[in-house]
Amino acid sequence: MNKTRTKSMDSKNLLKFLISSALLLSAASAAGICSTAVSIHGYKCQEFQVTTDDGYILSVQRIPTGRDGGGRPPVLLQHGVLVDGMTWLLNSPEQSLAMILADNGFDVWISNTRGTRFSRGHLNLDPSDPEYWNWTWDDLVIHDLPSVIELVFRQTGQKIHYIGHSLGTLIALASFSEGKQIEKVRSAVLLSPIAYLSHMNTALGVVASKAFVGEITTIFGLAEFNPNGEPVANFLKALCAGSGIDCYDLLTAVTGINCCLNASTVELFLKNEPQSTSTKNMVHLAQTVRDGVLSKYDYGNAVFNLEHYGESRPPIYDLTKIPHDLPLFLSYGGQDALSDLKDVATLLDDLKLHDIDKLHVQYVKDFAHADFIMGITAKDVVYNQILAFFNNLHS
């Protein structure tokens, strides 16, 4: 009697477990980018996952058509550091680049790099494991970018138009300089391009780049750099207090004074961002600021560099080797504290031998770093130019 009763209770518990699991999975799905930021506006949206060759499971969204249909080539949107794919979707559909592209018939794909909230899976590691965070943007060049481009290419059978912002431009430039992904890319749009960072003048960035020396890894370990977590929050507070920087407006302290942000968009941004990255990645970016060159991660001494690269110094990414016939559109701002005018000039000097009809450069005097993805005037000032650039390629 007792055995029968126990079996009956186990079955009920199993049923409860299955129902609760289904509800949890449903809730997790409902919290994805498609359902929270795309489908609600009447667009079709598909969620994909792709696994990199080093085991990271990345979230990718697809908006295959606009509200008026589609049929045009795929466009991949790649966000910057400390944010995720949501940054392309914070404004209204009429002002968000992802929806504008979809409404103009493009097949839009949105990438989310490793460590951000929807891309925290791994075949063997957990985000609580420090080894999960043992990577820099070199690894985004080597693993993440090829995996996502291959996914889009496999699904569509077409070359992509690439659009990157901030760090999304850096990993593309580095990849192209090594001749990678070129055969699958139609063109590249680089918004707030960062390659050289030695003239960066964002108040917090300058102070942080000096602080992000090797010793910082002793404080955090080679682990997660989560701006919303207590250790990093305390670190940033100490940086701000010690340097006299007003970090109440963290967005301005990091990006410069943005001209054209809607208050409600900033509020939505702060609800969704910032996202985690690896401490090692922040150290690598700081090396780029301090050293004035674009190179692979410096392990700090000749022995470790020899072990990783076969050279005592980390190899340089030579941007002059980017194929001269790759169509490029660069747009940069006069108020951008991260993508400084002098550093953009250095990048443009690397591109001076680019085919003249393949390089399009736009300077927006009033724009700072975030204006390019969230500015309410970005459609008229920048996005329409991107559409014209794409249309000319297809004419």
Side-chain angles (χ1 to χ4, degrees):
M1 183 79 176
N2 286 340
K3 285 183 182 177
T4 306
R5 193 172 171 189
T6 303
K7 277 187 179 179
S8 174
M9 288 173 66
D10 285 347
S11 298
K12 286 179 181 176
N13 287 334
L14 177 61
L15 183 60
K16 284 181 182 177
F17 172 77
L18 290 173
I19 291 171
S20 63
S21 296
L23 289 171
L24 283 171
L25 285 169
S26 175
S29 174
I33 288 178
C34 273
S35 58
T36 56
V38 182
S39 301
I40 57 171
H41 296 298
Y43 293 80
K44 293 178 182 176
C45 190
Q46 302 164 342
E47 296 275 0
F48 287 82
Q49 285 189 331
V50 63
T51 303
T52 66
D53 56 1
D54 60 343
Y56 290 82
I57 302 169
L58 311 179
S59 168
V60 182
Q61 288 73 43
R62 181 187 193 183
I63 310 172
T65 62
R67 290 177 290 193
D68 300 319
R72 303 189 73 183
V75 180
L76 174 62
L77 301 179
Q78 176 59 62
H79 62 80
V81 69
L82 297 176
V83 294
D84 65 1
M86 275 292 289
T87 55
W88 302 106
L89 302 161
L90 295 175
N91 277 329
S92 69
E94 293 73 30
Q95 294 174 327
S96 294
L97 180 56
M99 272 79 148
I100 290 169
L101 289 166
D103 283 337
N104 278 272
F106 289 96
D107 181 359
V108 179
W109 296 74
I110 300 172
S111 175
N112 298 270
T113 55
R114 61 182 65 190
T116 55
R117 62 184 150 175
F118 300 116
S119 294
R120 292 174 74 86
H122 192 281
L123 294 179
N124 305 307
L125 300 171
D126 186 88
S128 61
D129 183 345
E131 186 58 30
Y132 175 94
W133 299 99
N134 188 11
W135 53 268
T136 82
W137 58 261
D138 284 335
D139 297 282
L140 306 184
V141 173
I142 297 166
H143 306 293
D144 287 31
L145 187 60
S147 298
V148 175
I149 289 179
E150 177 60 27
L151 169 69
V152 178
F153 189 74
R154 197 170 63 244
Q155 290 288 327
T156 66
Q158 298 185 66
K159 289 184 174 185
I160 68 160
H161 292 297
Y162 179 91
I163 301 180
H165 176 253
S166 191
L167 186 69
T169 69
L170 176 59
I171 63 174
L173 289 166
S175 181
F176 300 156
S177 75
E178 296 186 330
K180 296 173 181 174
Q181 311 310 315
I182 298 296
E183 73 284 357
K184 295 172 186 168
V185 174
R186 291 174 186 261
S187 72
V189 172
L190 310 173
L191 305 177
S192 296
I194 61 168
Y196 303 100
L197 287 166
S198 55
H199 293 93
M200 176 187 70
N201 58 59
T202 160
L204 185 56
V206 170
V207 175
S209 67
K210 293 174 181 174
F212 274 109
V213 290
E215 300 85 72
I216 203 72
T217 59
T218 306
I219 301 172
F220 297 118
L222 284 178
E224 180 174 7
F225 185 84
N226 177 8
N228 298 311
E230 191 173 343
V232 175
N234 289 338
F235 167 70
L236 292 175
K237 283 178 188 173
L239 278 186
C240 294
S243 57
I245 298 169
D246 177 12
C247 290
Y248 176 75
D249 182 358
L250 193 59
L251 190 61
T252 298
V254 172
T255 67
I257 301 172
N258 296 279
C259 72
C260 307
L261 302 188
N262 186 307
S264 61
T265 303
V266 173
E267 186 179 346
L268 191 57
F269 172 84
L270 295 173
K271 283 181 181 176
N272 285 279
E273 318 294 354
Q275 296 290 314
S276 292
T277 189
S278 73
T279 302
K280 188 176 178 182
N281 189 36
M282 297 299 284
V283 172
H284 192 184
L285 287 168
Q287 290 173 358
T288 307
V289 175
R290 292 197 307 270
D291 299 344
V293 294
L294 190 62
S295 69
K296 296 183 186 291
Y297 182 79
D298 189 342
Y299 283 88
N301 66 60
V303 174
F304 288 157
N305 284 331
L306 273 168
E307 183 182 324
H308 284 87
Y309 307 121
E311 306 173 37
S312 60
R313 295 285 302 160
I316 301 290
Y317 290 104
D318 184 356
L319 301 188
T320 65
K321 292 184 177 177
I322 293 173
H324 297 168
D325 60 350
L326 175 66
L328 296 176
F329 177 94
L330 279 71
S331 186
Y332 65 105
Q335 305 303 313
D336 195 331
L338 287 173
S339 180
D340 184 81
L341 298 182
K342 295 188 184 73
D343 291 325
V344 174
T346 304
L347 169 61
L348 291 174
D349 189 59
D350 282 345
L351 300 173
K352 64 188 174 187
L353 297 179
H354 214 78
D355 291 359
I356 194 165
D357 61 333
K358 301 292 185 182
L359 179 61
H360 302 262
V361 180
Q362 179 191 39
Y363 171 63
V364 187
K365 181 181 177 181
D366 296 330
F367 268 30
H369 207 68
D371 287 313
F372 287 92
I373 48 169
M374 298 190 295
I376 56 174
T377 60
K379 178 186 177 182
D380 294 332
V381 176
V382 180
Y383 303 163
N384 284 344
Q385 297 298 315
I386 295 173
L387 290 170
F389 171 68
F390 288 162
N391 290 336
N392 286 337
L393 293 175
H394 294 292
S395 61

